[in-house]
Amino acid sequence: MNKRVIYDVKWKEQSVGVVYANDNNEYQYIPNIENIYRLSKEGMPSTLVIRPQREWKKTLPKFIERRLKINSESYVTVTDHFSIVKSNERV
């Protein structure tokens, strides 16, 4: 089964995790624990991004799903330094 990175979750332009998709349109979120611990000392709210989604699921993790809706054109952008960057990198 092929998997690819579809989103890179960042805080102040530093990666805190990635969302993968597989050929079955299922998702998995893997946090970058080392970066999360380091950035939480700088004030990042780590509870939003530290919980992994290790099993493949048909839905995105709740934080990612909500953030994508909030940052769409129909809503005001949230300014807490989190960004979700779209990617199509094969793994």
Side-chain angles (χ1 to χ4, degrees), residues 11-14 17 27 36 45 53-54 60 65 69:
W11 188 75
K12 291 187 176 180
E13 302 303 318
Q14 296 188 48
Y27 306 102
I36 290 172
Q53 178 174 301
R54 296 191 192 283
L60 288 166
E65 188 176 284
K69 286 180 186 176

Side-chain angles (χ1 to χ4, degrees), residues 1-4 21-24 56 90-91:
M1 179 181 339
N2 291 320
K3 72 177 184 179
R4 65 192 182 285
N22 65 20
D23 295 335
N24 297 327
W56 292 103
R90 289 273 173 197
V91 179

